[in-house]
Amino acid sequence: MTQRRPLVAANWKMNGSLASIRPLLKGICSGLQAKCDAEVVICPPYVYLAELTDKLGNSGIISGAQNLSHLESGAFTGEISADMLKDFSCKYVIVGHSERRALYGETDGLVAAKFMRGQDAALVPILCVGEQLAERESGDTEVVIERQLNAVIELAGIKAFNDAVIAYEPVWAIGTGETATPDQAQEVHAFVRLLLARHDDAVADKIRILYGGSVKAANAVEIFNMVDVDGGLIGGAALDADEFLSICHAARGS
Ligand code: PGA
């Protein structure tokens, strides 16, 4: 089995100000221990990427973005391109977050196009998948995850997942304080890996699958201990330096 280095990514969403992110970044950079096994990524609002890159210095923490356009450039008011993100040293980009799908009408097809555009520009997509509460309750969790993943596999091909990360984020657990139990997370993570393995065993074995949805210092260890959980995508808890650092240090290499 491949050794998968854990990854912990902060998704700041539309939070923060210059005044608040400066001490937050200072706290995170100074508190991150050298023996932290995890690769640590921060995805701020676009306008703070320059500040982030500047303040991260040689901390080893990596910059990411929360979204990108599926188009290269042109008359698309308000959009941000993959190449612009590269200009600000971004390595990762979140695609298909459930808030983008639900609030901004992002379809499986558009998410797949964003995934490909990111990869074409040498960004590593963090592809979010996850079911709504009603879908879980009607027993459709696997159907939804399979549909979301297949859209990307069909457009980008299975080998594209060699340079990608998947985040399983049950929508009912995002920002609600309600976390999936470690067993619930493991069950879906194992399903995602199985689904990829139907196309390519090596890709399935290598890919990192993060869990997201109300992860905090108090529950990170038990979730990260599950065999198919390779780290987390952290929202609210990433806005507090101590909380986020505890989560980073909870992620252990296998
Ligand atoms: P949360 O958000 O940790 O606040 O639940 C996670 C996410 O939406 O990525």
Side-chain angles (χ1 to χ4, degrees), residues 11 13 97 99 169 173-175 213-215 233-236:
N11 175 10
K13 308 192 180 183
H97 189 280
E99 286 151 17
E169 298 206 305
I174 295 177
S214 298
V215 176
L233 182 55
I234 319 298

Side-chain angles (χ1 to χ4, degrees), residues 50-132:
E51 180 73 12
L52 185 82
T53 309
D54 181 50
K55 293 290 180 298
L56 290 181
N58 58 3
S59 65
I61 299 171
I62 297 165
S63 304
Q66 299 175 17
N67 186 24
L68 81 168
S69 170
H70 64 297
L71 300 164
E72 271 188 63
S73 68
F76 305 108
T77 303
E79 291 292 283
I80 298 284
S81 75
D83 290 335
M84 293 171 189
L85 299 178
K86 292 294 288 182
D87 264 350
F88 284 89
S89 313
C90 276
K91 175 173 175 195
Y92 289 94
V93 62
I94 298 171
V95 296
H97 189 280
S98 65
E99 286 151 17
R100 304 280 335 156
R101 292 178 190 261
L103 304 174
Y104 300 97
E106 293 198 7
T107 60
D108 292 334
L110 180 60
V111 171
K114 290 186 175 204
F115 179 103
M116 277 201 76
R117 181 81 275 281
Q119 279 199 332
D120 285 347
L123 289 162
V124 179
I126 301 177
L127 171 66
C128 298
V129 296
E131 81 286 4
Q132 313 260 357

Side-chain angles (χ1 to χ4, degrees), residues 199-247:
H199 297 268
D200 191 312
D201 276 330
V203 169
D205 191 35
K206 180 182 162 202
I207 196 159
R208 291 180 291 183
I209 308 175
L210 315 182
Y211 170 79
S214 298
V215 176
K216 38 190 179 286
N219 59 25
V221 172
E222 55 171 11
I223 296 173
F224 293 169
N225 273 346
M226 304 311 285
V227 60
D228 286 301
V229 177
D230 306 306
L233 182 55
I234 319 298
L239 298 169
D240 177 295
D242 289 340
E243 189 76 15
F244 184 61
L245 284 165
S246 299
I247 296 169

Side-chain angles (χ1 to χ4, degrees), residues 4-16:
R4 295 184 295 264
R5 184 176 181 203
L7 190 157
V8 176
N11 175 10
W12 285 359
K13 308 192 180 183
M14 197 175 75
N15 290 299

Side-chain angles (χ1 to χ4, degrees), residues 7-27:
L7 190 157
V8 176
N11 175 10
W12 285 359
K13 308 192 180 183
M14 197 175 75
N15 290 299
S17 61
L18 263 189
S20 71
I21 68 168
R22 283 179 177 150
L24 177 57
L25 283 173
K26 200 168 172 202

